[in-house]
Amino acid sequence: MAGYLVLHNSGDRPATLTDAASPAFARVMLHRTVITDGQAGMRHVDSVELPAGGELRFEPGGYHLMLMQRRGDLHIGDRVELTLRFADGSTLTAPFLLKAPYQQ
Amino acid sequence: MKRLISIVSIIAVLLSIGCSREIDWHTKDISGLMPELAFTLTSEQGETVTAEQYRGKVNLLFFGYTHCPDVCPITLGRLRAALDQLDPEQRRQVEILFVSVDPQRDDPAQLREYTDAFGADFIGLTGSPEQLDKLTRRYRVTYGYGEPDANGDYPVSHSSAVFAFDKQGEVRLLIRDDDDPQAVAADLAQLAAA
């Protein structure tokens, strides 16, 4: 499963996303899909920079949170909590809605 | 300015009449550029199957793996969205063949659970490395395995394209990840009608 989100940095300093976690999954990793000449691959990324006043999109075909080893049953429409960790030690927790992959 | 637009639209109409005998595909027409659909694989029921068993329907062939978080579910989801735009009669004539290139983790039960989440018209297949190599080479695509991490998880690289075959098993279209479901649906309707 993949997590998609849009992050806004309204501050005047850049932020660096380094990690994510969720009570619903044993492991969450930052990944990026790379499609080269029709060949899709996935890269693990250690951190993603969010510029001051900027926006960072996690969306299909690009950055995504890779959600692994779900801890219990999940159903479309459920809400799952995810916590994002930044390099300065701050965290951000938000609910994520579980959708079927063809629901935009 | 208004007059100019009407002239352009008249020319456009004339042009479209001029080529009305040619089918106007929205996705990439690759008719004749690749061989007909042929394979021997294992079905999600664990049986040995061949491409001939799927003749008579429009087949969409996609290579992936069930642990794929992003490209595979999104691609299958877009195909689902395209199928949902067809009428029930057209939909009955289309089948998606999801070939896992990760047979080590994708056994028939795992494949069945995965494809059922997208619908009954999504069929999971996999095979031995030899069978998968033969099929991927036939359509000039590759796949490969990344380094496993500390937990033994590994990424799999694979083609992002979907190959469409007509009811006779001849290759017809290449559907790419940026083709929108509406365009795909229009092409599938034409293939289903042929």
Coordinates of all heavy atoms in Angstrom, one line a residue, chain A residues 1-2 4 27 29 31-33 35 37-43 59-70 101-102 104, chain B residues 65 67-71 73-74 77-78 80-81 84 113 117-118 141-144 149 151 153 155-161 177:
Chain A
M1 N 0.8 -1.2 0.0 CA 0.0 0.0 0.0 C 0.9 1.3 0.0 O 2.0 1.2 0.5 CB -0.9 0.0 1.2 CG -2.2 -0.6 0.9 SD -3.4 -0.3 2.3 CE -3.0 -1.7 3.3
A2 N 0.3 2.3 -0.5 CA 1.1 3.5 -0.6 C 0.3 4.7 0.0 O -0.9 4.7 -0.1 CB 1.4 3.9 -2.1
Y4 N -0.3 8.8 0.1 CA -0.1 10.0 -0.7 C -0.5 11.2 0.1 O -1.5 11.1 0.8 CB -0.9 9.9 -2.0 CG -0.5 8.7 -2.9 CD1 -1.5 7.7 -3.0 CD2 0.7 8.6 -3.5 CE1 -1.1 6.5 -3.8 CE2 1.0 7.5 -4.3 CZ 0.1 6.5 -4.4 OH 0.4 5.4 -5.1
R27 N 5.9 -1.2 9.4 CA 7.0 -0.4 8.8 C 6.4 0.6 7.8 O 5.5 0.3 7.0 CB 8.0 -1.3 8.1 CG 8.8 -2.1 9.1 CD 9.5 -3.2 8.4 NE 10.5 -2.6 7.5 CZ 10.8 -3.2 6.3 NH1 10.2 -4.2 5.9 NH2 11.7 -2.6 5.5
M29 N 8.0 3.5 4.9 CA 9.3 4.0 4.4 C 9.0 5.1 3.3 O 7.9 5.1 2.7 CB 10.0 2.8 3.7 CG 10.6 1.8 4.6 SD 11.2 0.4 3.8 CE 12.9 0.9 3.4
H31 N 9.6 6.4 -0.2 CA 10.0 5.8 -1.5 C 9.7 6.8 -2.6 O 8.8 7.7 -2.5 CB 9.2 4.5 -1.8 CG 9.8 3.3 -1.2 ND1 10.3 2.3 -1.9 CD2 10.1 3.0 0.1 CE1 10.8 1.4 -1.1 NE2 10.7 1.8 0.1
R32 N 10.3 6.5 -3.7 CA 10.0 7.3 -4.9 C 10.0 6.3 -6.1 O 10.9 5.5 -6.3 CB 11.1 8.3 -5.2 CG 10.8 9.2 -6.3 CD 11.9 10.3 -6.5 NE 11.4 11.4 -7.3 CZ 12.0 12.5 -7.5 NH1 13.1 12.8 -6.9 NH2 11.4 13.5 -8.2
T33 N 8.9 6.5 -6.9 CA 8.8 5.7 -8.1 C 9.6 6.4 -9.2 O 9.5 7.6 -9.4 CB 7.4 5.5 -8.6 OG1 6.7 4.7 -7.6 CG2 7.2 4.8 -9.9
I35 N 10.2 6.1 -13.3 CA 9.8 5.4 -14.6 C 10.7 5.9 -15.6 O 10.8 7.1 -16.0 CB 8.3 5.6 -14.9 CG1 7.4 5.1 -13.8 CG2 8.0 4.9 -16.3 CD1 5.9 5.3 -14.1
D37 N 12.0 5.1 -19.5 CA 11.8 4.3 -20.8 C 10.7 3.2 -20.5 O 10.9 2.1 -21.0 CB 13.1 3.7 -21.3 CG 14.1 4.8 -21.7 OD1 13.6 5.9 -22.1 OD2 15.3 4.5 -21.7
G38 N 9.7 3.6 -19.8 CA 8.6 2.6 -19.6 C 8.9 1.6 -18.6 O 8.1 0.7 -18.3
Q39 N 10.1 1.7 -17.9 CA 10.4 0.7 -16.9 C 10.2 1.3 -15.5 O 10.8 2.4 -15.2 CB 11.9 0.3 -17.1 CG 12.4 -0.9 -16.2 CD 11.9 -2.2 -16.7 OE1 11.2 -2.3 -17.7 NE2 12.2 -3.3 -16.0
A40 N 9.4 0.7 -14.7 CA 9.1 1.3 -13.4 C 10.0 0.7 -12.4 O 10.1 -0.5 -12.3 CB 7.6 1.1 -13.1
G41 N 10.6 1.5 -11.6 CA 11.4 1.0 -10.5 C 11.1 1.9 -9.2 O 10.4 2.9 -9.3
M42 N 11.6 1.4 -8.1 CA 11.3 2.1 -6.8 C 12.6 2.3 -6.1 O 13.4 1.5 -6.0 CB 10.4 1.2 -6.0 CG 9.4 1.9 -5.2 SD 8.2 0.7 -4.6 CE 9.3 -0.4 -3.6
R43 N 12.8 3.5 -5.6 CA 14.0 3.9 -4.8 C 13.6 4.2 -3.4 O 12.6 5.0 -3.2 CB 14.7 5.1 -5.5 CG 14.9 5.0 -7.0 CD 16.3 4.5 -7.3 NE 16.5 4.4 -8.7 CZ 16.0 3.4 -9.5 NH1 15.3 2.4 -9.0 NH2 16.2 3.4 -10.8
E59 N 2.6 11.6 -4.7 CA 1.5 11.3 -5.6 C 1.9 10.1 -6.4 O 3.0 9.8 -6.6 CB 1.0 12.5 -6.4 CG 2.1 13.1 -7.2 CD 1.8 14.5 -7.8 OE1 0.7 15.0 -7.5 OE2 2.6 15.0 -8.5
P60 N 0.9 9.4 -7.1 CA 1.1 8.3 -7.9 C 2.2 8.6 -8.9 O 2.2 9.6 -9.6 CB -0.2 8.0 -8.6 CG -1.2 8.4 -7.6 CD -0.6 9.7 -6.9
G61 N 3.2 7.6 -9.0 CA 4.2 7.8 -10.0 C 5.4 8.6 -9.5 O 6.3 8.9 -10.2
G62 N 5.3 9.1 -8.2 CA 6.4 9.9 -7.7 C 6.7 9.4 -6.3 O 6.9 8.3 -6.0
Y63 N 6.8 10.4 -5.4 CA 7.1 10.1 -4.0 C 5.8 9.4 -3.4 O 4.7 9.7 -3.7 CB 7.3 11.3 -3.1 CG 8.7 11.9 -3.3 CD1 8.8 13.2 -3.9 CD2 9.8 11.3 -2.9 CE1 10.1 13.8 -4.1 CE2 11.1 11.8 -3.1 CZ 11.2 13.1 -3.7 OH 12.5 13.6 -3.9
H64 N 6.1 8.4 -2.5 CA 5.0 7.8 -1.8 C 5.5 7.2 -0.5 O 6.7 7.0 -0.3 CB 4.2 6.7 -2.6 CG 5.1 5.6 -3.1 ND1 5.8 5.7 -4.3 CD2 5.5 4.5 -2.6 CE1 6.5 4.6 -4.5 NE2 6.4 3.8 -3.5
L65 N 4.6 7.1 0.5 CA 5.0 6.4 1.7 C 4.6 4.9 1.5 O 3.5 4.6 1.1 CB 4.1 6.9 2.9 CG 4.3 8.4 3.2 CD1 3.2 8.8 4.3 CD2 5.7 8.7 3.7
M66 N 5.6 4.1 1.6 CA 5.4 2.7 1.4 C 4.9 2.1 2.8 O 5.7 2.2 3.8 CB 6.6 2.0 0.9 CG 6.3 0.5 0.7 SD 7.4 -0.2 -0.6 CE 7.0 -1.9 -0.4
L67 N 3.7 1.6 2.8 CA 3.1 1.1 4.0 C 3.2 -0.4 4.0 O 2.6 -1.1 3.2 CB 1.7 1.5 4.1 CG 1.4 3.0 3.8 CD1 0.0 3.3 3.7 CD2 2.1 3.9 4.9
M68 N 4.0 -1.0 5.0 CA 4.2 -2.4 4.9 C 3.7 -3.1 6.2 O 3.8 -2.6 7.3 CB 5.7 -2.7 4.7 CG 6.1 -2.4 3.3 SD 7.9 -2.6 3.1 CE 8.5 -1.1 3.9
Q69 N 3.3 -4.4 6.0 CA 2.9 -5.3 7.1 C 1.8 -4.6 7.9 O 2.1 -4.3 9.1 CB 4.2 -5.7 7.9 CG 5.2 -6.4 7.1 CD 6.6 -6.4 7.8 OE1 6.7 -6.3 9.0 NE2 7.6 -6.5 7.0
R70 N 0.6 -4.6 7.4 CA -0.4 -4.0 8.2 C -0.7 -4.9 9.4 O -0.6 -6.1 9.3 CB -1.7 -3.8 7.3 CG -2.3 -5.0 6.7 CD -3.6 -4.6 6.0 NE -4.2 -5.8 5.4 CZ -4.1 -6.1 4.1 NH1 -3.4 -5.4 3.3 NH2 -4.7 -7.2 3.7
P101 N -7.6 2.2 -5.1 CA -6.6 2.9 -6.0 C -7.3 3.6 -7.2 O -6.6 4.5 -7.7 CB -5.7 1.7 -6.5 CG -6.3 0.5 -6.1 CD -7.3 0.7 -5.0
Y102 N -8.5 3.3 -7.5 CA -9.1 4.0 -8.7 C -9.9 5.2 -8.2 O -10.5 5.9 -9.0 CB -9.8 3.1 -9.6 CG -10.8 2.1 -8.9 CD1 -12.1 2.5 -8.8 CD2 -10.4 0.9 -8.4 CE1 -13.0 1.6 -8.1 CE2 -11.2 0.1 -7.7 CZ -12.6 0.4 -7.6 OH -13.4 -0.4 -7.0
Q104 N -10.1 8.8 -7.2 CA -9.1 9.9 -7.2 C -9.4 10.8 -6.0 O -10.5 10.9 -5.5 CB -9.3 10.7 -8.5 CG -8.9 9.9 -9.7 CD -7.4 9.4 -9.7 OE1 -6.5 10.2 -9.5 NE2 -7.2 8.1 -9.9
Chain B
Y65 N 3.9 -6.9 -9.6 CA 4.0 -7.8 -8.4 C 3.2 -7.3 -7.3 O 2.9 -6.1 -7.2 CB 5.5 -7.9 -8.0 CG 6.2 -6.7 -7.5 CD1 6.6 -6.6 -6.1 CD2 6.4 -5.6 -8.3 CE1 7.2 -5.4 -5.7 CE2 7.0 -4.4 -7.8 CZ 7.4 -4.3 -6.5 OH 8.0 -3.2 -6.1
H67 N 3.5 -6.9 -4.1 CA 4.1 -6.0 -3.1 C 4.4 -4.6 -3.6 O 5.0 -3.8 -2.9 CB 5.4 -6.7 -2.5 CG 5.1 -7.8 -1.6 ND1 4.7 -9.0 -2.1 CD2 5.2 -8.0 -0.2 CE1 4.5 -9.9 -1.0 NE2 4.9 -9.3 0.1
C68 N 4.0 -4.4 -4.8 CA 4.3 -3.1 -5.5 C 3.3 -2.1 -4.9 O 2.1 -2.2 -5.0 CB 4.0 -3.3 -7.0 SG 4.0 -1.9 -8.0
P69 N 3.8 -1.0 -4.2 CA 2.9 -0.1 -3.6 C 2.2 1.0 -4.4 O 1.1 1.4 -4.2 CB 3.8 0.6 -2.5 CG 5.1 0.6 -3.2 CD 5.2 -0.7 -4.0
D70 N 2.9 1.3 -5.5 CA 2.5 2.5 -6.2 C 2.0 2.2 -7.7 O 0.8 2.4 -8.0 CB 3.7 3.5 -6.2 CG 3.4 4.8 -6.8 OD1 2.3 5.3 -6.6 OD2 4.2 5.4 -7.5
V71 N 3.0 1.8 -8.5 CA 2.6 1.7 -10.0 C 1.6 0.6 -10.3 O 0.6 0.9 -11.0 CB 3.9 1.4 -10.8 CG1 3.6 1.1 -12.2 CG2 4.9 2.7 -10.7
P73 N -0.9 -0.9 -8.2 CA -2.3 -0.6 -7.9 C -2.9 0.5 -8.6 O -4.0 0.5 -9.0 CB -2.2 -0.3 -6.4 CG -0.8 -0.3 -6.0 CD 0.0 -0.9 -7.0
I74 N -2.0 1.5 -8.9 CA -2.5 2.7 -9.7 C -2.9 2.3 -11.1 O -3.9 2.6 -11.6 CB -1.5 3.8 -9.7 CG1 -1.3 4.4 -8.3 CG2 -1.9 4.9 -10.7 CD1 -2.5 5.0 -7.6
G77 N -5.9 0.1 -11.0 CA -7.0 1.0 -10.6 C -7.5 1.8 -11.8 O -8.7 2.0 -12.0
R78 N -6.6 2.3 -12.6 CA -6.9 3.0 -13.9 C -7.6 2.1 -14.9 O -8.6 2.5 -15.5 CB -5.7 3.6 -14.5 CG -5.1 4.7 -13.6 CD -3.7 5.1 -14.1 NE -3.7 5.8 -15.3 CZ -3.6 7.2 -15.3 NH1 -3.5 7.8 -14.2 NH2 -3.7 7.8 -16.5
R80 N -9.4 -0.5 -14.0 CA -10.7 -0.7 -13.4 C -11.6 0.5 -13.7 O -12.8 0.3 -14.1 CB -10.5 -0.8 -11.9 CG -11.8 -0.8 -11.0 CD -12.4 -2.2 -11.1 NE -13.5 -2.3 -12.0 CZ -14.0 -3.4 -12.5 NH1 -13.5 -4.6 -12.2 NH2 -14.9 -3.4 -13.4
A81 N -11.1 1.7 -13.6 CA -11.9 2.9 -13.9 C -12.3 2.9 -15.4 O -13.4 3.3 -15.7 CB -11.1 4.2 -13.6
D84 N -15.1 0.4 -15.9 CA -16.3 0.9 -15.3 C -17.1 1.8 -16.2 O -18.3 2.1 -16.0 CB -16.1 1.6 -14.0 CG -15.7 0.6 -12.9 OD1 -15.9 -0.6 -13.0 OD2 -15.2 1.0 -11.8
E113 N -6.0 -13.2 -4.0 CA -6.5 -12.2 -3.1 C -6.2 -10.7 -3.7 O -7.1 -9.9 -3.6 CB -5.7 -12.3 -1.8 CG -6.4 -11.5 -0.6 CD -5.5 -11.4 0.6 OE1 -4.6 -12.2 0.8 OE2 -5.7 -10.4 1.3
A117 N -9.3 -7.9 -5.4 CA -9.6 -6.6 -4.9 C -10.0 -5.6 -6.0 O -10.6 -4.6 -5.8 CB -8.4 -6.1 -4.1
F118 N -9.5 -6.0 -7.3 CA -9.8 -5.1 -8.4 C -11.1 -5.5 -9.2 O -11.6 -4.8 -9.9 CB -8.6 -5.0 -9.3 CG -7.4 -4.3 -8.7 CD1 -6.5 -5.1 -8.0 CD2 -7.3 -3.0 -8.7 CE1 -5.4 -4.4 -7.4 CE2 -6.3 -2.3 -8.1 CZ -5.3 -3.1 -7.4
V141 N 10.2 -6.5 -22.9 CA 10.2 -5.8 -21.6 C 11.1 -6.6 -20.7 O 11.5 -7.8 -20.9 CB 8.8 -5.6 -21.0 CG1 8.0 -4.7 -21.8 CG2 8.2 -6.9 -20.7
T142 N 11.6 -5.9 -19.6 CA 12.5 -6.6 -18.7 C 11.9 -6.5 -17.3 O 11.0 -5.7 -17.0 CB 13.9 -6.0 -18.7 OG1 13.8 -4.6 -18.4 CG2 14.6 -6.2 -20.1
Y143 N 12.5 -7.2 -16.4 CA 12.2 -7.1 -15.0 C 13.4 -7.4 -14.2 O 14.4 -8.1 -14.7 CB 11.0 -8.0 -14.6 CG 11.2 -9.5 -14.6 CD1 11.6 -10.2 -13.5 CD2 11.1 -10.1 -15.9 CE1 11.8 -11.6 -13.6 CE2 11.3 -11.5 -15.9 CZ 11.7 -12.2 -14.8 OH 11.9 -13.6 -14.9
G144 N 13.5 -7.0 -12.9 CA 14.7 -7.3 -12.1 C 14.4 -7.0 -10.7 O 13.4 -6.4 -10.3
D149 N 16.3 -5.5 1.8 CA 16.7 -4.7 3.0 C 16.8 -5.6 4.2 O 16.7 -6.9 4.0 CB 15.7 -3.6 3.2 CG 14.3 -4.1 3.5 OD1 14.1 -5.2 3.9 OD2 13.3 -3.3 3.4
N151 N 14.8 -6.4 6.4 CA 13.7 -7.3 6.6 C 13.4 -8.3 5.5 O 12.4 -9.0 5.5 CB 12.4 -6.4 6.8 CG 12.5 -5.6 8.1 OD1 12.3 -6.1 9.2 ND2 12.9 -4.3 7.9
D153 N 12.7 -7.5 2.5 CA 11.9 -6.9 1.4 C 12.8 -6.4 0.3 O 13.8 -5.8 0.5 CB 11.1 -5.7 2.0 CG 9.9 -6.1 2.7 OD1 9.2 -7.1 2.2 OD2 9.6 -5.6 3.8
P155 N 12.6 -4.5 -3.8 CA 11.7 -3.9 -4.9 C 12.0 -4.7 -6.2 O 13.0 -5.3 -6.4 CB 12.3 -2.5 -5.0 CG 13.7 -2.5 -4.5 CD 13.8 -3.7 -3.6
V156 N 11.0 -4.6 -7.0 CA 11.0 -5.3 -8.3 C 10.8 -4.2 -9.4 O 9.8 -3.5 -9.3 CB 9.9 -6.4 -8.4 CG1 10.0 -7.1 -9.8 CG2 10.1 -7.4 -7.3
S157 N 11.7 -4.2 -10.3 CA 11.5 -3.2 -11.5 C 10.7 -4.0 -12.6 O 10.9 -5.2 -12.7 CB 12.8 -2.6 -12.0 OG 13.5 -3.6 -12.6
H158 N 9.9 -3.3 -13.2 CA 9.0 -4.0 -14.3 C 8.5 -2.9 -15.2 O 8.6 -1.7 -15.0 CB 7.9 -4.7 -13.6 CG 7.0 -3.8 -12.7 ND1 5.9 -3.3 -13.2 CD2 7.2 -3.4 -11.5 CE1 5.3 -2.5 -12.3 NE2 6.1 -2.5 -11.2
S159 N 8.0 -3.4 -16.3 CA 7.4 -2.5 -17.3 C 6.2 -1.8 -16.8 O 5.4 -2.4 -16.1 CB 7.0 -3.3 -18.6 OG 6.3 -2.5 -19.5
S160 N 6.0 -0.5 -17.1 CA 4.8 0.2 -16.7 C 3.7 0.2 -17.7 O 2.6 0.7 -17.5 CB 5.2 1.7 -16.3 OG 5.6 2.3 -17.5
A161 N 4.0 -0.4 -18.9 CA 3.0 -0.4 -20.0 C 2.1 -1.6 -19.9 O 2.3 -2.6 -19.3 CB 3.8 -0.5 -21.3
D177 N 1.2 4.8 -18.9 CA 0.7 5.2 -17.5 C 0.1 6.6 -17.6 O -0.6 7.0 -16.6 CB 1.8 5.1 -16.5 CG 3.1 5.8 -16.9 OD1 3.8 5.3 -17.9 OD2 3.5 6.8 -16.4

